[in-house]
Amino acid sequence: MDIQHYLQGKRQLINDHLPSFLAEKSIPGPLKDSMLYSLQAGGKRLRPILTLAVLDAFGKNSEAGLEAACALEMVHTYSLIHDDLPCMDDDDYRRGKPTNHKTFGEATAILAGDALLTFSFQMIAGSSTYTPVQKVALLTILSEASGAEGMVAGQAVDMESENQELTLEELQSIHERKTGRLLEASVLFGAVLADADAEEFERLGAFSRHLGIAFQIQDDILDVTGDSQLMGKQAGSDEHNYKSTYPKLLTLEGAKIQLAHHIKLAKDNLRKTKVDLVILEGITDYIVNRNH
Amino acid sequence: MDIQHYLQGKRQLINDHLPSFLAEKSIPGPLKDSMLYSLQAGGKRLRPILTLAVLDAFGKNSEAGLEAACALEMVHTYSLIHDDLPCMDDDDYRRGKPTNHKTFGEATAILAGDALLTFSFQMIAGSSTYTPVQKVALLTILSEASGAEGMVAGQAVDMESENQELTLEELQSIHERKTGRLLEASVLFGAVLADADAEEFERLGAFSRHLGIAFQIQDDILDVTGDSQLMGKQAGSDEHNYKSTYPKLLTLEGAKIQLAHHIKLAKDNLRKTKVDLVILEGITDYIVNRNH
């Protein structure tokens, strides 16, 4: 199993499908351009890949997960557009390209984010592939993960905590909501569509929560050690922005130990499930070994 | 039937329930305060009242519609918060109170809007009152009405058209998306929850579309003739903002004729249904006769 090849194939599949959902829609030109600009700005596509990978691990047809997977990527994309705004993180570049508001102006960027968020729910609710019970499960997971107790809460607390020294617990709590919940939702989406039982659901949830923490620790480590070119943003930007990070709180060595710890716990939980391990373990290792 | 008394009772019911859905949720303090601030800023509550009124007109228990009705008001509230932002309409006051971003800052206002939108889907998906099929119907209607082809599209085109002379057709097309679609959704929500058949659904849809246009014409008329105190905003502000309006395109007299025309068509469609007419006709008349 060549995991790089697997990821590449899934990424291509997602990149091919993501814009197609908007193609037939009568959306005003600049709004549609702005939505597509950020959807097509590249990225790892980790969230939709996780949904497809869980379906593969259950031995199901993963292409049936494409709509749900692309809905997750739309929510992720909306969150990046709003986080980049001048009144939030004020970022001019994202993945090496000018941010949405730099290209389309603030008003259109806000509306494009609003529209992508709304469209993610529309895609799932209107899907001809999923049953009503599956749709309700997906929409519940997605709205809880991305809303006032999940991703939006994480961003709100992150903004409040700017220039403040955080404890490890506070840092973890921000990341858990800001990025962890949507990664968890990505794994649970696969479980819902594979009709997983409650026990598998619980174990995959635990797997995804440790995976999410590991992902964030590696992000922080890359900000210290990484190559700006590969990352599409300036290495050292967390330091520059006075952000609390795992290396800052634990030292680089301590952060690497925590990373290994959460990778181990993620895999332990994965091995308790009955799904095929190869793909999901491969993705877990990829998260530690990635260089951007 | 005293329609004022009816509206008053429903408004009270909605005002009592609206904040309660957030009460038990672990939302970061400032974000929660910001969401509640705008939810509790008053307003006519026309959208949720329409849902409850349709249920009453079908002879159903309208309190069963409260969750869905409050979800609609959350979407309406989110749209007001984002529309008021400096990069959009740049409004300092809304319903006589400082706008959300004036009180909580832009970042929190954007996040509060995002969170309210997301929560509206969460409430419906997670409801213990509705069947999965009803939930999917509600979520499809809501997402289509409020997204890139509906409300967000209306705001996007409205922003683009600022300081431009619009034709009547262009003006109508903006309003249809910016306010009409969500008013239509409010009526259709009631029809879904009353298990209306396809024919009733279609007629109530036509009723609501004419009602929506009438509502907007009366809004424009009030901006010319109304009392600033009652409206909670400055009369004449459309003129001041160089906005295209019905009175400007048609003269005040012409706008009043159009208003009467759409009220008649709304009632004609209503009378083709088998529902009790008193409440919905009463609300239709209220829309013409309101002074704020």
Side-chain angles (χ1 to χ4, degrees):
Chain A
M1 173 87 201
D2 178 351
I3 193 69
Q4 288 291 354
H5 185 255
Y6 177 86
L7 293 172
Q8 181 60 36
K10 294 297 184 199
R11 196 175 295 126
Q12 193 58 50
L13 191 68
I14 290 151
N15 288 343
D16 289 347
H17 280 80
L18 204 45
S20 72
F21 295 105
L22 298 177
E24 304 284 294
K25 303 289 170 186
S26 63
I27 303 170
L31 179 63
K32 195 176 198 172
D33 292 344
S34 168
M35 294 167 79
L36 286 171
Y37 176 82
S38 291
L39 277 182
Q40 296 178 307
K44 292 179 283 293
R45 311 300 194 194
L46 182 60
R47 290 152 194 82
I49 288 175
L50 277 171
T51 300
L52 304 184
V54 171
L55 279 164
D56 279 333
F58 272 98
K60 304 270 180 177
N61 171 21
S62 67
E63 297 215 4
L66 262 174
E67 277 172 300
C70 287
L72 281 164
E73 189 67 9
M74 288 190 187
V75 172
H76 176 56
T77 304
Y78 123 76
S79 77
L80 300 181
I81 297 174
H82 282 194
D83 286 2
D84 285 339
L85 287 166
C87 68
M88 303 263 196
D89 300 345
D90 195 13
D91 278 314
D92 292 350
Y93 289 91
R94 160 77 63 185
R95 296 168 179 163
K97 289 174 68 178
T99 45
N100 196 296
H101 65 271
K102 278 280 161 189
T103 311
F104 296 93
E106 276 182 61
T108 301
I110 291 173
L111 293 173
D114 292 347
L116 284 169
L117 173 61
T118 311
F119 198 76
S120 71
F121 293 105
Q122 184 176 337
M123 272 176 69
I124 295 172
S127 160
S128 55
T129 315
Y130 313 136
T131 67
V133 170
Q134 285 178 327
K135 289 178 184 182
V136 169
L138 295 174
L139 292 162
T140 302
I141 290 168
L142 183 60
S143 56
E144 288 181 1
S146 58
E149 296 183 287
M151 191 175 70
V152 173
Q155 174 67 3
V157 177
D158 196 19
M159 299 285 306
E160 283 167 43
S161 321
E162 257 187 358
N163 304 325
Q164 278 177 35
E165 287 279 338
L166 299 179
T167 64
L168 185 63
E169 204 175 25
E170 288 167 338
L171 180 68
Q172 204 123 311
S173 161
I174 290 174
H175 288 316
E176 195 259 322
R177 287 176 286 180
K178 190 170 168 175
T179 59
R181 292 291 304 275
L182 200 62
L183 285 170
E184 184 185 356
S186 309
V187 169
L188 296 182
F189 263 37
V192 166
L193 296 177
D195 295 320
D197 63 29
E199 208 172 297
E200 295 288 76
F201 209 81
E202 182 45 54
R203 284 167 179 167
L204 284 168
F207 156 72
S208 69
R209 288 190 288 278
H210 290 294
L211 190 77
I213 300 170
F215 179 80
Q216 189 57 50
I217 298 175
Q218 178 65 358
D219 238 30
D220 284 0
I221 290 174
L222 281 173
D223 191 74
V224 180
T225 65
D227 179 323
S228 305
Q229 196 86 42
L230 281 172
M231 294 193 295
K233 66 172 181 182
Q234 198 62 41
S237 67
D238 291 339
E239 182 70 32
H240 180 76
N241 295 330
Y242 309 103
K243 284 223 168 194
S244 291
T245 66
Y246 287 95
K248 212 181 284 177
L249 289 175
L250 299 172
T251 75
L252 187 57
E253 216 36 57
K256 286 180 178 173
I257 291 167
Q258 275 295 308
L259 173 63
H261 173 67
H262 285 287
I263 289 292
K264 183 186 177 305
L265 289 176
K267 287 187 179 179
D268 285 352
N269 278 286
L270 196 57
R271 285 181 195 133
K272 288 185 204 151
T273 67
K274 292 178 218 83
V275 307
D276 181 85
L277 298 174
V278 180
I279 298 160
L280 293 174
E281 285 200 344
I283 292 179
T284 308
D285 289 330
Y286 157 79
I287 289 201
V288 201
N289 299 322
R290 72 199 164 97
N291 53 15
H292 67 286
Chain B
M1 172 87 199
D2 179 350
I3 194 70
Q4 288 291 352
H5 186 253
Y6 177 86
L7 294 172
Q8 181 62 36
K10 295 297 184 199
R11 197 175 294 126
Q12 192 58 52
L13 193 67
I14 289 150
N15 289 343
D16 289 346
H17 280 80
L18 204 45
S20 73
F21 294 105
L22 298 177
E24 305 283 294
K25 303 290 170 185
S26 62
I27 301 170
L31 179 64
K32 195 176 197 171
D33 291 346
S34 168
M35 293 166 79
L36 287 170
Y37 176 83
S38 291
L39 277 181
Q40 296 178 307
K44 292 179 282 294
R45 311 300 195 193
L46 182 60
R47 290 152 195 82
I49 288 175
L50 277 170
T51 300
L52 304 184
V54 171
L55 280 163
D56 278 334
F58 273 96
K60 305 271 180 174
N61 170 22
S62 67
E63 297 217 4
L66 262 175
E67 277 172 300
C70 287
L72 281 163
E73 188 67 10
M74 287 190 188
V75 172
H76 176 56
T77 304
Y78 123 76
S79 77
L80 300 180
I81 297 174
H82 282 194
D83 286 1
D84 286 339
L85 287 167
C87 68
M88 303 261 197
D89 301 344
D90 195 14
D91 277 316
D92 292 349
Y93 289 91
R94 161 77 64 185
R95 295 167 180 165
K97 288 174 66 177
T99 44
N100 196 297
H101 65 272
K102 279 281 163 191
T103 311
F104 295 93
E106 275 183 61
T108 301
I110 291 173
L111 293 173
D114 293 346
L116 285 168
L117 173 61
T118 311
F119 198 76
S120 70
F121 293 105
Q122 184 176 338
M123 271 176 70
I124 295 172
S127 159
S128 55
T129 316
Y130 313 135
T131 66
V133 170
Q134 284 177 328
K135 289 179 185 184
V136 169
L138 296 173
L139 291 164
T140 302
I141 290 168
L142 182 60
S143 56
E144 288 180 1
S146 59
E149 296 184 288
M151 191 177 68
V152 173
Q155 174 68 5
V157 178
D158 196 17
M159 298 287 307
E160 283 167 44
S161 321
E162 257 187 357
N163 303 325
Q164 278 177 35
E165 287 280 337
L166 299 179
T167 63
L168 186 62
E169 204 175 27
E170 289 167 336
L171 181 69
Q172 204 123 310
S173 162
I174 290 174
H175 288 316
E176 194 259 321
R177 288 176 285 180
K178 191 170 168 174
T179 60
R181 293 290 304 273
L182 200 62
L183 285 171
E184 183 185 356
S186 309
V187 169
L188 297 182
F189 263 38
V192 166
L193 296 178
D195 296 319
D197 64 29
E199 207 172 298
E200 295 288 76
F201 209 82
E202 183 45 53
R203 284 166 181 169
L204 284 168
F207 156 72
S208 68
R209 288 189 289 277
H210 291 292
L211 189 77
I213 300 170
F215 179 80
Q216 189 58 49
I217 298 175
Q218 178 64 358
D219 237 33
D220 285 0
I221 291 174
L222 281 173
D223 191 75
V224 179
T225 66
D227 179 321
S228 305
Q229 196 86 42
L230 281 173
M231 295 193 294
K233 64 173 182 182
Q234 199 61 40
S237 68
D238 290 339
E239 183 70 33
H240 180 74
N241 294 329
Y242 308 102
K243 285 222 167 195
S244 291
T245 65
Y246 287 94
K248 212 181 288 179
L249 289 175
L250 299 171
T251 75
L252 187 57
E253 217 35 60
K256 285 179 179 173
I257 291 168
Q258 275 296 309
L259 174 62
H261 174 66
H262 286 288
I263 289 291
K264 182 187 176 304
L265 289 176
K267 288 186 178 178
D268 285 352
N269 278 287
L270 197 57
R271 284 181 197 133
K272 289 183 204 152
T273 68
K274 292 177 217 83
V275 306
D276 182 86
L277 298 174
V278 181
I279 299 160
L280 293 174
E281 286 200 344
I283 291 179
T284 308
D285 289 330
Y286 157 78
I287 289 203
V288 202
N289 299 322
R290 72 199 164 97
N291 53 15
H292 67 288

